[in-house]
Amino acid sequence: MSADIKSFTTPMRVGVLGFGGLGQAAAKLIAPKSEMILVAVADLKGYAYAPQGLNVDKCISAYSSQGSVGYLQAEGILSNQSIQELIENSEVDGYFLALPNLPNTFIASVAQMFMRSHWQGVLVDAIKRTSAVEQLLALKSDFQAAKITYLTGCGATPGLLTAAAVLAAQSYAEVHSVKITFGVGIANWEAYRATIREDIAHLPGYSVERARAMTDAQVEALLDETNGVLTLENMEHADDVMLELAGICDRDRVTVGGVVDTRNPKKPLSTNVQVTGRTFEGKISTHTFTLGDETSMAANVCGTAFGYLKAGIGLQKRGIYGLFTAAEIMPQFVK
């Protein structure tokens, strides 16, 4: 890519929408970076904005002790319309939407909020479901008209592993299958309530609506039944539509599943993607890309999301707007 995508003379002003476990991890990841500065955060009850940069520790302290970054002294504002007001009262180059996609239409509705506000910049999400990405695909021309550069499915999977599958596919004349297997370990499920509910929605007999309606006590009871472990198979995961759109293989050749341990930070199994195909010489082979077991879900999701955010800001500066997936754009490392 050209130098204007790779380098920035001033730090990119970024924001994080959602300040639960994933949003807080995103803020911690950005704090030591020199190329990005966190200027905006929002949660359900409020938001905080500081053009010179927010103090991440103070943001987390306010959220943990009082339930919202809106209580942050000087920079915080309490509001039941936190996202809308933050959009209207800040100057931000790009946002990471670290939001739960509950209901399944929520992320698309947030994207439309940005368009209605006539905001121009970069949006990145880490949503998982095929149907959620398809809702955003239907808005592609709207993003172009609004001069918004939107990158979807930019977490670990879909995201990091989807991009790895695209690279691995280059060895083959035909891709026979893409199998993604993930292992996630977290010490306390309550730090990732929304993420765990999204995972529960993939279990047999559950739906997004049912998982969203569950109380914390009901989630805890379910986890007691499974000893804290959720085993997920044949998930509705956007890796399939993203790889199909990229021309790698038909979506029915993509399978995603994994194990989530909600009571142990150690991964229950290694996260990997296996791409099997036929070379031009007629040989059948499998490439495997495995994530290090020591890397957490938060590190793999947030690091990837900001890598795509940097790439998106580079595209935005060149006047390239619309919707892109993690299978189409190469993320840029954020220093």
Side-chain angles (χ1 to χ4, degrees):
M1 287 190 174
S2 59
D4 59 336
I5 292 182
K6 291 185 177 180
S7 61
F8 297 86
T9 56
T10 58
M12 295 166 271
R13 301 165 299 178
V14 302
V16 175
L17 300 187
F19 210 61
L22 192 62
Q24 291 179 35
K28 291 177 182 177
L29 186 147
I30 282 299
K33 301 289 187 181
S34 62
E35 289 187 317
M36 287 186 175
I37 180 172
L38 182 67
V39 299
V41 294
D43 56 49
L44 186 62
K45 300 176 182 178
Y47 66 92
Y49 172 67
Q52 76 279 9
L54 291 165
N55 184 301
V56 171
D57 290 336
K58 289 182 179 180
C59 288
I60 293 175
S61 178
Y63 185 89
S64 299
S65 62
Q66 296 177 276
S68 174
V69 296
Y71 287 101
L72 192 66
Q73 290 188 1
E75 298 96 345
I77 300 290
L78 292 170
S79 171
N80 291 323
Q81 303 293 326
S82 57
I83 296 177
Q84 182 68 51
E85 290 185 18
L86 180 59
I87 296 171
E88 295 173 352
N89 296 292
S90 62
E91 292 186 10
V92 179
D93 298 316
Y95 285 96
F96 171 33
L97 309 186
L99 297 163
N101 193 39
L102 298 171
N104 197 42
T105 56
F106 183 60
I107 295 296
S109 70
V110 171
Q112 290 171 315
M113 188 185 302
F114 276 92
M115 287 189 277
R116 289 195 299 271
S117 298
H118 304 291
W119 178 84
Q120 296 178 7
V122 180
L123 300 175
V124 171
D125 70 46
I127 58 178
K128 303 174 184 177
R129 285 186 174 267
T130 301
S131 53
V133 168
E134 288 176 329
Q135 292 172 39
L136 292 168
L137 288 168
L139 299 173
K140 186 171 185 177
S141 60
D142 296 327
F143 288 125
Q144 290 175 324
K147 295 186 177 181
I148 290 174
T149 306
Y150 194 118
L151 290 91
T152 187
C154 298
T157 176
L160 178 58
L161 295 182
T162 325
V166 173
L167 291 174
Q170 306 308 312
S171 296
Y172 305 123
E174 178 186 18
V175 172
H176 294 165
S177 67
V178 177
K179 181 180 180 181
I180 295 174
T181 305
F182 61 83
V184 174
I186 54 177
N188 177 14
W189 81 269
E190 291 180 334
Y192 291 91
R193 285 183 175 91
T195 299
I196 296 303
R197 281 185 170 82
E198 287 191 66
D199 288 335
I200 289 172
H202 288 282
L203 293 172
Y206 287 83
S207 64
V208 173
E209 291 73 21
R210 182 180 176 185
R212 183 191 181 201
M214 292 174 72
T215 65
D216 285 358
Q218 289 173 324
V219 172
E220 192 69 52
L222 173 62
L223 296 177
D224 284 340
E225 293 176 10
T226 64
N227 197 28
V229 175
L230 300 175
T231 301
L232 308 167
E233 299 177 346
N234 296 319
M235 301 171 71
E236 181 204 334
H237 236 250
D239 303 88
D240 59 2
V241 65
M242 290 162 59
L243 290 170
E244 183 174 79
L245 286 171
I248 302 302
C249 61
D250 292 339
R251 67 179 68 187
D252 60 6
R253 297 188 179 191
V254 181
T255 57
V256 180
V259 177
V260 180
D261 189 339
T262 64
R263 297 177 179 174
N264 189 339
K266 183 179 179 180
K267 289 183 182 180
L269 50 85
S270 296
T271 297
N272 67 84
V273 56
Q274 295 180 312
V275 182
T276 300
R278 173 182 56 81
T279 69
F280 76 95
E281 302 104 333
K283 303 292 185 179
I284 306 299
S285 186
T286 298
H287 287 326
T288 301
F289 176 75
T290 304
L291 301 184
D293 288 342
E294 294 75 20
T295 59
S296 65
M297 178 266 291
N300 292 323
V301 171
C302 297
T304 303
F306 284 115
Y308 278 106
L309 185 58
K310 178 178 176 180
I313 291 174
L315 295 174
Q316 174 83 192
K317 287 179 178 292
R318 294 168 57 191
I320 299 174
Y321 316 118
L323 183 77
F324 304 92
T325 76
E328 298 175 87
I329 304 296
M330 180 68 72
Q332 300 290 302
F333 185 72
V334 182
K335 299 178 182 177

